[in-house]
Amino acid sequence: CDSLAIFTTTIGAQALSAIVEKGYDTILVFLDDDNSTVKQHQRDIQRKLSLFCKDVRIVRAAKNGQPCDPKDLSNQELKELLV
């Protein structure tokens, strides 16, 4: 299981190249899910990665029924969400 932090809401050429080079079967897009702009960027990243991988999923985190940032989750919560 690998991860790549892009530190933004868009995926640059270098990150895209690194992902494509690995040839993943499944890719999870996991960004903060706190506004419509970020949600649009998630879909843009998903669409871009779908050109190279047939299974690209957007992960949405929530606590107590409310969207939350990945940084707000414990290691155990992240493991349960992603595995």
Side-chain angles (χ1 to χ4, degrees):
C1 176
D2 293 330
S3 64
L4 174 66
I6 58 174
F7 299 108
T8 183
T9 58
T10 58
I11 189 163
Q14 189 173 11
L16 182 61
S17 177
I19 291 168
V20 170
E21 200 172 281
K22 291 281 189 170
Y24 295 108
D25 294 325
T26 302
I27 298 172
L28 305 176
V29 179
F30 192 13
L31 304 177
D32 294 354
D33 196 25
D34 51 6
N35 66 60
S36 60
T37 301
V38 173
K39 290 178 184 182
Q40 180 60 50
H41 286 280
Q42 288 173 328
R43 290 188 297 272
D44 293 343
I45 291 170
Q46 181 185 37
R47 199 171 17 261
K48 196 176 284 189
L49 291 172
S50 292
L51 297 171
F52 307 100
C53 179
K54 62 182 174 182
D55 187 15
V56 182
R57 304 176 202 167
I58 293 174
V59 177
R60 291 200 165 87
K63 271 192 166 186
N64 302 318
Q66 296 297 315
C68 69
D69 290 351
K71 67 180 177 271
D72 296 330
L73 299 174
S74 69
N75 287 344
Q76 183 62 34
E77 290 169 321
L78 285 168
K79 185 176 180 180
E80 290 170 6
L81 183 63
L82 298 175
V83 176

